[in-house]
Amino acid sequence: MKLSNGRWRGLAFVDIETNGGVATVDGITEVGIVEVDEDGVREWSQLIRPEGRIPEFIQRLTGISNEMVADAPRFAEVAEEIYNRLDGRLFIAHNARFDYGFLRNAFERVGLPLRPPVLCTVKLSRALFPEHRRHGLDALIERHGLVVGDRHRALADAQLVWQFWQLIHRQLDGELIDTTIARLLGRPALPPHLDPSIIDELPETPGVYLFFGENDLPLYVGKSKDIRTRVLSHFSADHSSAKEMSLSQQLRRIEWIETAGEVGALLLEAKLVKERQPIHNRRLRRSSGLCAWQLVADGEGGWRPVLVRGPDLDPGRQDNLFGFFTSQTAATKALRTLADEHALCQACLGLEKVRSGQPCFGYQIKRCKGACIGAESRGLHGARLMMALQKLRVERWPYAGPVGLREGEALHVVDNWCWLGTARSEDEVHALLESGRPAFDLDVWKILTKALAKGRVVKLGAAGAVGG
């Protein structure tokens, strides 16, 4: 079996126990590591005192009590030793996302960045034994006859993963195992002009990433709930997509900005695409022809549509606004379609010019009810027009003033469907409110209409104070 391959100098079979399931909040209570390299096999374990208490049900599951960890070291006290045991090795764990996620967060809190290649033996088992449905550790114990020690203790479970590793290398073809591991590790062929070290720095957090070409030409802005995974996916796809291949060949540099969550990433992506105008972002690079229909009184008891364009658009404050269109042509086409579907008078809508008192073309072919010649009252025609437009209605801003949309520790400050920015303190909120509102952005509006409906909205009081 391969213990090293140039990318790592040995193997580390890892398991941890915790006092909860959230890596950014809960703490590690025990670490177990089996180190395997050319010098042999070494085992190490350590109880750790977490910040919070261990819940009763976890004590029953693991056998680790609050009394057992009362005199144990904090993670920071043993971080360097654990780091040295993992650094430069292939990190192997069952459900590795859990173990690696906790350890990475713990290391980051003490200023030690952990970036080993990570292999999950749940995924490895699924790939090597696809005929089986269950691949949890208990299923592997039963199926392969693994020798169980103190189940749900860190070192004992790490030993089980090491046993599984030895078993597959005894039973299966080594080339098959190596090929499967290489695929699961997903290390793509990197773009030829990109510094390979940047890949190990990419965070597994929500945010926005920016690709740059020669002379810092903006190539692409993207967003993801996991920046690292999304960036690497660009490179693994470059053989099958002409766009990805072109992007890979042009790429010289990557930047990224971490956000509190997905909403922050969406908002920042929309903003940066407008500012940077990257050549590979076409969807969000909207033209300046944005417009909408607004109904105004026609003076005869009815309504007539008026096209409101670009800088005159203020959806948060304007009444009777309908639809967003990227051009006057698109807006006119949509209105004509509604006129045909609802037998509306195109002359009254301003879509057709006729002399006063003369019938429009639609009336002559029985597609208009005669508002143009008084056969239908302007009031009734206006009411039917209003009903026809309802599916395109743009809601006014539903709050008395600016609000904050809470996402983790961040607060997205929003006013009249415009994103002012993201704050992490009351001073920052106040500064954003003082900065003025940006121009209306359709992409931001789409993001906010969904996010405000589902998210935690807080009122912003005087001087930017955050209310309940």
Side-chain angles (χ1 to χ4, degrees):
M1 72 183 73
K2 283 188 178 180
L3 302 182
S4 63
N5 73 345
R7 282 188 57 210
W8 59 80
R9 57 183 174 82
L11 312 176
F13 298 88
V14 184
D15 188 81
I16 65 168
E17 304 301 332
T18 69
N19 64 350
V22 182
T24 56
V25 176
D26 298 313
I28 297 171
T29 59
E30 188 175 40
V31 177
I33 304 172
V34 178
E35 300 170 67
V36 183
D37 52 34
E38 301 296 343
D39 295 328
V41 179
R42 296 172 300 284
E43 298 179 347
W44 181 89
S45 67
Q46 176 65 60
L47 285 170
I48 294 173
R49 179 160 48 106
E51 293 297 329
R53 292 183 61 78
I54 305 173
E56 182 64 33
F57 77 95
I58 293 181
Q59 293 186 55
R60 290 195 299 269
L61 176 68
T62 65
I64 301 174
S65 65
N66 288 300
E67 291 73 24
M68 289 172 61
V69 299
D71 296 323
R74 297 287 192 188
F75 185 86
E77 299 174 53
V78 292
E80 187 172 353
E81 181 172 6
I82 299 173
Y83 184 89
N84 290 336
R85 293 180 181 277
L86 300 177
D87 187 34
R89 296 179 182 275
L90 176 61
F91 184 109
I92 307 171
H94 211 66
N95 189 18
R97 186 179 184 88
F98 178 87
D99 301 84
Y100 176 63
F102 264 89
L103 282 166
R104 179 172 175 177
N105 273 276
F107 278 122
E108 286 183 350
R109 286 192 285 268
V110 297
L112 288 172
L114 181 67
R115 297 288 191 277
V118 178
L119 177 66
C120 176
T121 45
V122 173
K123 295 180 180 179
L124 182 60
S125 178
R126 286 189 184 128
L128 295 176
F129 303 99
E131 68 275 18
H132 296 293
R133 294 181 57 189
R134 297 168 55 241
H135 297 274
L137 202 49
D138 288 329
L140 266 58
I141 292 169
E142 180 181 349
R143 184 154 60 241
H144 300 296
L146 305 182
V147 179
V148 183
D150 199 354
R151 185 73 173 94
H152 294 299
R153 290 296 298 270
L155 183 57
D157 286 356
Q159 290 168 338
L160 288 170
V161 180
W162 166 228
Q163 286 184 52
F164 173 70
W165 181 269
Q166 296 174 86
L167 179 139
I168 62 174
H169 281 84
R170 288 195 301 268
Q171 294 185 353
L172 302 177
D173 177 69
E175 185 174 344
L176 170 65
I177 297 172
D178 291 344
T179 302
T180 304
I181 290 173
R183 177 171 57 82
L184 291 174
L185 290 176
R187 191 76 171 189
L190 297 182
H193 304 290
L194 187 66
D195 182 356
S197 66
I198 197 72
I199 298 303
D200 293 324
E201 298 177 20
L202 291 167
E204 295 175 316
T205 55
V208 171
Y209 57 93
L210 303 91
F211 288 173
F212 296 92
E214 286 187 357
N215 302 317
D216 269 354
L217 173 70
L219 298 176
Y220 184 76
V221 175
K223 59 88 183 63
S224 179
K225 290 185 283 189
D226 183 333
I227 294 173
R228 177 182 173 81
T229 299
R230 182 67 187 97
V231 168
L232 293 182
S233 73
H234 282 281
F235 310 145
S236 61
D238 65 6
H239 64 283
S240 59
S241 164
K243 175 184 175 182
E244 298 291 3
M245 176 66 80
S246 173
L247 195 59
S248 179
Q249 291 174 340
Q250 297 176 65
L251 184 60
R252 298 295 187 276
R253 187 169 65 84
I254 302 174
E255 289 183 0
W256 58 87
I257 304 171
E258 297 180 58
T259 61
E262 185 177 15
V263 174
L266 286 165
L267 291 168
L268 187 56
E269 178 196 33
K271 176 185 178 183
L272 290 176
V273 168
K274 306 295 190 311
E275 291 178 352
R276 305 294 183 93
Q277 292 287 299
I279 61 177
H280 287 276
N281 287 88
R282 291 190 175 91
R283 183 179 60 83
L284 291 175
R285 289 175 59 187
R286 299 187 183 274
S287 68
S288 58
L290 187 66
C291 53
W293 290 110
Q294 186 177 32
L295 293 187
V296 298
D298 65 3
E300 299 180 50
W303 299 94
R304 64 182 176 85
V306 175
L307 199 61
V308 184
R309 296 180 175 86
D312 296 323
L313 271 177
D314 191 357
R317 297 174 178 175
Q318 289 169 320
D319 287 316
N320 294 329
L321 207 61
F322 300 90
F324 289 117
F325 308 96
T326 56
S327 67
Q328 180 175 346
T329 300
T332 301
K333 180 180 178 181
L335 191 59
R336 288 189 189 279
T337 299
L338 282 177
D340 289 340
E341 291 175 348
H342 297 273
L344 297 169
C345 177
Q346 297 203 24
C348 295
L349 298 181
L351 298 174
E352 180 183 335
K353 290 184 178 181
V354 297
R355 291 182 180 179
S356 178
Q358 294 296 310
C360 70
F361 179 72
Y363 182 76
Q364 298 176 51
I365 61 174
K366 298 182 180 181
R367 290 185 179 178
C368 164
K369 295 188 177 183
C372 46
I373 58 171
E376 178 184 39
S377 72
R378 288 299 181 93
L380 179 57
H381 181 269
R384 293 197 304 110
L385 172 60
M386 184 76 80
M387 291 296 295
L389 284 167
Q390 282 307 303
K391 63 181 181 180
L392 299 177
R393 177 178 286 278
V394 178
E395 296 297 332
R396 278 185 62 119
W397 180 242
Y399 305 99
V403 299
L405 175 62
R406 179 71 70 186
E407 187 174 38
E409 298 298 317
L411 194 71
H412 306 302
V413 181
V414 185
D415 187 17
N416 284 288
W417 300 119
C418 294
W419 175 51
L420 277 59
T422 299
R424 294 182 179 272
S425 69
E426 288 199 11
D427 287 343
E428 291 181 358
V429 170
H430 178 70
L432 289 173
L433 293 175
E434 292 293 314
S435 66
R437 281 197 302 139
F440 176 76
D441 184 294
L442 179 59
D443 298 302
V444 169
W445 175 80
K446 289 180 177 180
I447 296 165
L448 292 176
T449 51
K450 294 179 181 179
L452 289 170
K454 299 186 296 184
R456 179 186 168 194
V457 179
V458 298
K459 297 177 182 178
L460 299 181
V466 180

